[in-house]
Amino acid sequence: MEKRVIAAEDLYKLKSVNDPQMSPCGTKAVYVETSIQEEKHHYISNLFLLDLKTGEKVQWTFGEHRNTSPRWSPDGSRLAFLSSRSGKNQLYVMSAGGGEAKALTEEHLAVSQPVWSPDSASILVSLALAPEDTLEKAKEEDKQPQPLVVEDMRYKSDASGFVRNKKRQLAVADAETGKLKLLGFREYDCSDAAWSPDGKAIVFTSNMTDDPDQNLISDVYILSLDGHDLTKLTNSNGFYGHPSWSPDGKYVSFLGHEKEYLGATFSKIWLSDRETGELSCYSADWDVHISDAAVADFISGSVYPGLIWTEDSQGFYFILTDQGNTGVYYGSLEGQTVPVRFENEHVYGLSVHVQSHTAVLGISRPDHPSDLYFFDFSTGENRQLTSINEAFLNEVELSVPEAIAYKAEDGLEIHGWIMKPAGYEEGEKYPLVLEIHGGPHAMYANTYFHEFQMLAASGKAVLYTNPRGSHGYGQHFVDGVRGDYGGSDYTDLMSAVDYALNTYDFIDAGRLGVTGGSYGGFMTNWIVGHTNRFKAAVTQRSISNWISFYGVSDIGYYFTEWELGGNLIDDFEKLWHHSPLKYVKNVETPLLILHGEKDYRCPVEQAEQLYIALKQLKKETKLVRFPEANHELSRSGHPKLRIDRLNHIKEWFDKYL
């Protein structure tokens, strides 16, 4: 059967598998399978049980809701998970033998991050409460309009909207009765919690400084559940998260950094010796980022596992980012580190059975969207466990990227990929679209990208790179963009285009397009204000004016200072110098502007300013606003709007290229 090319609407046919969790016995795994209900345009996530020996798969939850965060009880008898079936995420528990699930929390509460106690009797959860709320009854929102009283600088979030004085709180739920008990600290946000092996203490993260608006940090604390003694493990000088205990209780591990390069700092491994109180950085000499920095538009809901300790407390497994890939490493307390699974792929999920050193991994590749794999770290045994998109992959033709490396203007080596258009024929000429990722401290990777495949299917070559500022290529590299937005990062991208034109004779130099979102949107705006070599451009959820961004973004006041090295009060001209809006008179490239109306990261006024300025100058432009969409539109937004967005991009490039 002849394969067809992919379309934006194929997003409805794709499924993803995520958050695998191996059972305590190591013979089974539960995972989340997510799809999109096309008629109603909404996401469905259900839990599936997988027998790791036979490969048999059994669906455990049903319905058209989001069932997520499955967690086995340590004794293996029950499974806790979250479900949105009542409208908000509630905590449910079901028998490991299957059957009906029981709700443990009330409908007026929305909970997250379930963690079983070592004795399988309690479940730790996170929830948001205002000071006047109680566990029995959260304050009901008045249906009449009410003024929003703001006293903090960080009063809104792109993920959750206006905070309204609510704080993330920790509570313990009885696994039988569901009775909740708050752990205190109502005036602070507390999250990322884990139990001590003996169940007598909890480790968590919080910012308990006097002025958290200005003191942007995250500390690690231990709370004794007996005497409610609180011990701080870090020094209020950086960002730390993903805490966990060694099984013998001798160490608390976590990831983070001391803000040496502010938001561009690599995440490292830290160990707190509970006998001596000594805090040490395990990976101080490593020039890699301990986390998953890969960006894509298909895999959502990934849960980074932090460090996974072995049963003997002598080492741990973790995911790191390097050279366009993410993979699994093992580190021993003696300092030995070895890659146990590192290939040209994106490992986005990891669960390890620490007794047998076997694992279930969630993996994506450019031509293979999402599946789970069994891996034995001792023997190297590797088996694919799921084939959730097999029918789809048998039906469509996907473009397989070719890795490239080229020299920047200053000789620095830059890494990227190029995709040939679907139906490529030798001797033909094709348009090229340059894609620019957001962040900028993120990384394009060997992972599936629906937007790229759609553009290739429409007859275009796709070029995407990791210019300086990207993760995966060393601390100096990721720090290289700070204070220089529109400088070497811009020339890195232009060098990529030059390399592609000089290397591949199938690219038509007269039909070049460019697009990107967030930082990639800023750079798209910058590019069309500094060169006319592109015949079409699409800017998405972008920054056009750093001066207004400073005050309207949920991260504006500190992100601007961290990334540009200036603030609104003292460095007005510097902010304007780096603003694409300053160069709007130079724009000759037809520019499509895409923006979500509920984007608090890069608020929609950034798009409005750019659009009105271009229209006033009678430039070729169009603005498309997506209702109720935030900064995550392309990844986890409303399915119909995601499809609409992709088709607007395709149609704009079809028209002008």
Side-chain angles (χ1 to χ4, degrees):
M1 181 181 71
E2 184 176 351
K3 292 188 175 183
R4 64 173 178 84
V5 296
I6 200 170
E9 289 75 12
D10 283 320
L11 200 60
Y12 287 120
K13 296 187 176 183
L14 285 165
K15 298 178 181 179
S16 67
V17 285
N18 220 321
D19 201 7
Q21 297 291 321
M22 295 184 75
S23 63
C25 64
T27 63
K28 300 176 182 179
V30 64
Y31 64 91
V32 180
E33 182 174 300
T34 300
S35 59
I36 302 176
Q37 214 277 355
E38 185 171 0
E39 290 74 22
K40 296 181 180 179
H41 306 289
H42 70 222
Y43 299 97
I44 298 172
S45 297
N46 277 304
L47 307 184
F48 286 77
L49 180 69
L50 187 64
D51 188 304
L52 299 179
K53 292 183 178 179
T54 67
E56 181 185 3
K57 183 175 76 170
V58 178
Q59 186 169 347
W60 260 15
T61 64
F62 297 85
E64 298 183 353
H65 309 288
R66 303 295 298 269
N67 298 289
T68 59
S69 303
R71 297 294 182 266
W72 294 94
S73 61
D75 64 9
S77 67
R78 287 172 291 181
L79 186 82
F81 65 96
L82 303 178
S83 179
S84 66
R85 62 188 69 177
S86 68
K88 294 181 179 180
N89 265 346
Q90 302 300 308
L91 179 66
Y92 286 76
V93 170
M94 66 188 299
S95 168
E100 197 67 29
K102 174 185 176 182
L104 287 186
T105 52
E106 301 292 333
E107 293 183 5
H108 66 275
L109 296 173
V111 302
S112 61
Q113 300 177 343
V115 185
W116 282 94
S117 61
D119 62 3
S120 300
S122 305
I123 305 170
L124 188 65
V125 294
S126 175
L127 46 86
L129 291 175
E132 61 271 20
D133 291 345
T134 66
L135 285 174
E136 290 71 32
K137 187 172 179 60
K139 180 184 177 183
E140 295 183 2
E141 293 186 12
D142 197 316
K143 295 183 179 180
Q144 297 302 316
Q146 297 291 326
L148 175 66
V149 180
V150 176
E151 296 181 292
D152 298 322
M153 296 178 74
R154 302 177 71 182
Y155 66 91
K156 61 183 177 181
S157 159
D158 184 68
S160 53
F162 293 123
V163 176
R164 296 187 181 276
N165 206 27
K166 290 188 176 183
K167 305 291 184 183
R168 297 301 308 178
Q169 299 294 298
L170 299 176
V172 175
D174 185 288
E176 291 293 338
T177 67
K179 183 179 179 180
L180 282 171
K181 178 184 178 182
L182 279 176
L183 296 183
F185 312 114
R186 292 292 297 269
E187 66 270 36
Y188 303 110
D189 282 306
C190 304
S191 61
D192 244 3
W195 294 86
S196 63
D198 60 9
K200 295 180 179 179
I202 285 172
V203 62
F204 66 97
T205 62
S206 183
N207 181 347
M208 296 189 185
T209 59
D210 292 337
D211 188 359
D213 279 337
Q214 298 291 350
N215 300 319
L216 299 169
I217 58 94
S218 176
D219 279 316
V220 180
Y221 292 87
I222 293 177
L223 174 67
S224 169
L225 297 181
D226 293 334
H228 284 273
D229 295 327
L230 189 66
T231 304
K232 188 170 74 167
L233 305 186
T234 49
N235 300 315
S236 298
N237 61 346
F239 290 104
Y240 304 97
H242 300 288
S244 60
W245 299 76
S246 61
D248 60 11
K250 291 183 178 180
Y251 292 94
V252 170
S253 62
F254 44 90
L255 306 181
H257 58 76
E258 295 179 320
K259 295 170 60 176
E260 300 97 318
Y261 303 92
L262 298 174
T265 315
F266 275 172
S267 180
K268 305 176 183 68
I269 298 172
W270 297 79
L271 298 177
S272 174
D273 189 316
R274 299 316 309 136
E275 294 180 351
T276 67
E278 179 184 359
L279 177 63
S280 61
C281 184
Y282 177 88
S283 61
D285 298 328
W286 301 2
D287 200 17
V288 291
H289 181 58
I290 313 298
S291 191
D292 176 4
V295 292
D297 65 350
F298 175 64
I299 300 294
S300 64
S302 297
V303 178
Y304 189 76
L307 299 189
I308 302 175
W309 285 85
T310 55
E311 185 183 31
D312 60 7
S313 298
Q314 295 304 300
F316 36 76
Y317 295 99
F318 55 93
I319 295 175
L320 63 74
T321 292
D322 194 33
Q323 301 287 316
N325 299 297
T326 66
V328 184
Y329 271 64
Y330 169 80
S332 71
L333 286 181
E334 287 74 28
Q336 178 189 15
T337 56
V338 292
V340 291
R341 169 82 185 204
F342 203 89
E343 301 182 10
N344 290 327
E345 62 191 14
H346 175 202
V347 177
Y348 63 83
L350 172 66
S351 178
V352 180
H353 186 248
V354 296
Q355 292 86 1
S356 63
H357 297 270
T358 58
V360 174
L361 290 78
I363 295 176
S364 177
R365 303 184 187 93
D367 59 346
H368 199 103
S370 172
D371 266 313
L372 297 180
Y373 295 78
F374 175 86
F375 195 82
D376 189 317
F377 293 141
S378 300
T379 66
E381 179 190 355
N382 180 36
R383 287 184 282 113
Q384 185 172 332
L385 296 171
T386 62
S387 300
I388 57 167
N389 294 303
E390 183 176 12
F392 171 78
L393 293 174
N394 288 335
E395 181 183 341
V396 301
E397 174 189 359
L398 296 181
S399 179
V400 180
E402 174 189 338
I404 63 170
Y406 63 93
K407 296 293 184 181
E409 281 191 355
D410 60 1
L412 187 66
E413 184 171 279
I414 310 294
H415 177 222
W417 296 263
I418 191 164
M419 296 169 63
K420 290 181 179 178
Y424 168 81
E425 294 183 7
E426 195 77 32
E428 291 293 320
K429 290 283 189 178
Y430 298 93
L432 173 78
V433 174
L434 171 67
E435 289 269 4
I436 310 168
H437 68 63
H441 310 308
M443 181 186 75
Y444 277 144
N446 281 303
T447 192
Y448 179 81
F449 220 114
H450 195 65
E451 179 180 326
F452 297 177
Q453 292 291 347
M454 181 205 68
L455 288 172
S458 68
K460 299 164 187 66
V462 180
L463 173 65
Y464 55 108
T465 72
N466 285 321
R468 72 191 73 199
S470 303
H471 271 307
Y473 304 90
Q475 181 62 81
H476 178 73
F477 190 93
V478 76
D479 189 52
V481 72
R482 287 199 308 126
D484 190 37
Y485 274 44
S488 295
D489 50 351
Y490 166 69
T491 58
D492 286 352
L493 292 164
M494 295 305 98
S495 295
V497 176
D498 293 337
Y499 171 85
L501 291 173
N502 293 331
T503 306
Y504 302 99
D505 58 8
F506 61 82
I507 299 173
D508 186 344
R511 291 190 290 163
L512 301 178
V514 60
T515 185
S518 195
Y519 164 82
F522 156 81
M523 185 50 68
T524 299
N525 298 339
W526 186 268
I527 285 171
V528 297
H530 287 78
T531 179
N532 293 325
R533 72 187 303 184
F534 295 92
K535 301 307 176 186
V538 181
T539 183
Q540 308 171 50
R541 58 191 188 281
S542 72
I543 296 173
S544 66
N545 184 352
W546 287 100
I547 294 170
S548 60
F549 175 85
Y550 189 91
V552 298
S553 168
D554 64 342
I555 62 172
Y557 73 96
Y558 64 88
F559 184 84
T560 305
E561 294 190 18
W562 289 0
E563 295 297 310
L564 294 190
N567 63 61
L568 180 63
I569 299 167
D570 301 316
D571 305 286
F572 188 91
E573 289 301 325
K574 181 176 180 61
L575 269 57
W576 184 238
H577 171 75
H578 288 281
S579 296
L581 197 61
K582 177 181 178 180
Y583 310 97
V584 70
K585 287 184 179 180
N586 301 334
V587 177
E588 299 297 336
T589 306
L591 181 64
L592 174 64
I593 304 169
L594 307 179
H595 220 105
E597 293 188 349
K598 287 290 182 70
D599 190 331
Y600 290 156
R601 184 61 40 86
C602 295
V604 70
E605 58 87 29
Q606 294 286 307
E608 293 171 326
Q609 290 185 68
L610 182 60
Y611 173 72
I612 292 299
L614 289 168
K615 292 297 284 187
Q616 180 74 12
L617 293 167
K618 300 189 182 303
K619 308 287 188 177
E620 187 69 22
T621 188
K622 181 165 67 174
L623 170 63
V624 181
R625 302 167 62 116
F626 296 87
E628 300 301 316
N630 70 358
H631 203 62
E632 294 298 304
L633 168 64
S634 66
R635 296 177 279 263
S636 59
H638 189 285
K640 180 183 182 301
L641 295 184
R642 289 177 68 187
I643 302 295
D644 290 340
R645 169 190 161 273
L646 288 168
N647 281 324
H648 275 291
I649 295 170
K650 174 184 177 297
E651 291 163 8
W652 191 261
F653 285 134
D654 284 348
K655 179 179 179 180
Y656 290 100
L657 300 183

